[in-house]
Amino acid sequence: MSGGIGPVEPGEGTAGHERRDDAGTGRAGPAAARWARARYARHRRAVLVLGGLTCAAVVTAGALRVYADRPHPVAYVPPAPSQVISLTYLEPVEPPPPDGAFAFTVRVRNASAGPVAVEGIDQPSRALSVMIRPPLPVTVGAGEARELVVRILATDCVHVARNSGLPFLEVTLSNGFRKERHSYIPGDRYARDLSVALTRACPEDRDAADAPPS
């Protein structure tokens, strides 16, 4: 008989079978587990970064929408100069100018919240010339009034009107936003005083002397 029974050696192919069984169980070895954990970590970081970017984009879009929908202040546009400027006929200048011109004072008042410039004062008749003192342009401040002397001289007595048909003064105004030419009617007293002054400057006999021969 042989001696004692020792440990059983694995038979041929036994070790390989055991390794196949370990692999076949689906349990990952240490290297595979580390690879899986690294891959999961990378995937998790990518998801977190993508989620953060998405949230930031949503917040930014919302902020832009709120900013775009906010109430916009309306830019201030002053009223037209003719709506805030008044012109008042005061009185003739005494004594009258020696050259027969009609000189009178007007008051220009500005009722707006900003300055308005008086750039010109004229009248519709070509037979009359107009001069202003002080020279224009003159700026009238907000809520202020300025007095101007208007001098009207007859340059063509043949064609000058002798009645109150010249009641208008053409005034050019500007407020920095808008420029306009507006007709002011100084009133019946102005028309009467102008008619008297023109009759004095251009008497009937002068008209006859200036008229061309027939």
Side-chain angles (χ1 to χ4, degrees):
M1 293 182 62
S2 61
I5 300 174
V8 179
E9 296 292 337
E12 183 179 355
T14 302
H17 179 71
E18 290 176 353
R19 286 194 296 272
R20 286 193 298 273
D21 288 344
D22 291 340
T25 59
R27 295 192 300 272
R34 286 194 300 271
W35 177 83
R37 286 195 296 271
R39 183 178 180 184
Y40 171 75
R42 288 194 300 272
H43 178 72
R44 185 171 181 271
R45 284 195 298 270
V47 170
L48 292 177
V49 170
L50 181 60
L53 292 176
T54 302
C55 292
V58 171
V59 172
T60 302
L64 291 176
R65 179 63 180 272
V66 172
Y67 179 80
D69 293 342
R70 79 193 190 286
H72 294 278
V74 179
Y76 172 72
V77 178
S82 61
Q83 297 178 1
V84 297
I85 290 292
S86 61
L87 186 145
T88 304
Y89 173 72
L90 297 180
E91 59 186 359
V93 173
E94 297 293 346
D99 58 358
F102 174 45
F104 57 95
T105 55
V106 295
R107 178 180 294 118
V108 181
R109 184 178 299 278
N110 179 10
S112 73
V116 176
V118 181
E119 297 187 355
I121 297 179
D122 204 350
Q123 49 72 49
S125 174
R126 295 183 178 180
L128 304 175
S129 65
V130 179
M131 294 181 62
I132 311 297
R133 192 173 69 245
L136 302 180
V138 169
T139 299
V140 184
E144 296 180 353
R146 294 286 301 271
E147 289 189 6
L148 306 175
V149 176
V150 182
R151 178 179 175 274
I152 297 181
L153 177 65
T155 57
D156 182 1
C157 285
V158 174
H159 297 95
V160 71
R162 296 182 173 278
N163 50 34
S164 58
L166 301 173
F168 298 101
L169 287 176
E170 301 288 345
V171 183
T172 302
L173 303 168
S174 175
N175 60 4
F177 292 83
R178 181 176 177 182
K179 182 176 181 178
E180 63 178 340
R181 187 177 177 90
H182 186 72
S183 296
Y184 287 89
I185 303 177
D188 292 338
R189 190 164 59 91
Y190 162 74
R192 183 177 64 252
D193 291 346
L194 176 61
S195 179
V196 171
L198 293 178
T199 300
R200 182 175 62 245
C202 296
E204 296 291 341
D205 55 352
R206 179 176 175 178
D207 286 355
D210 294 339
S214 57

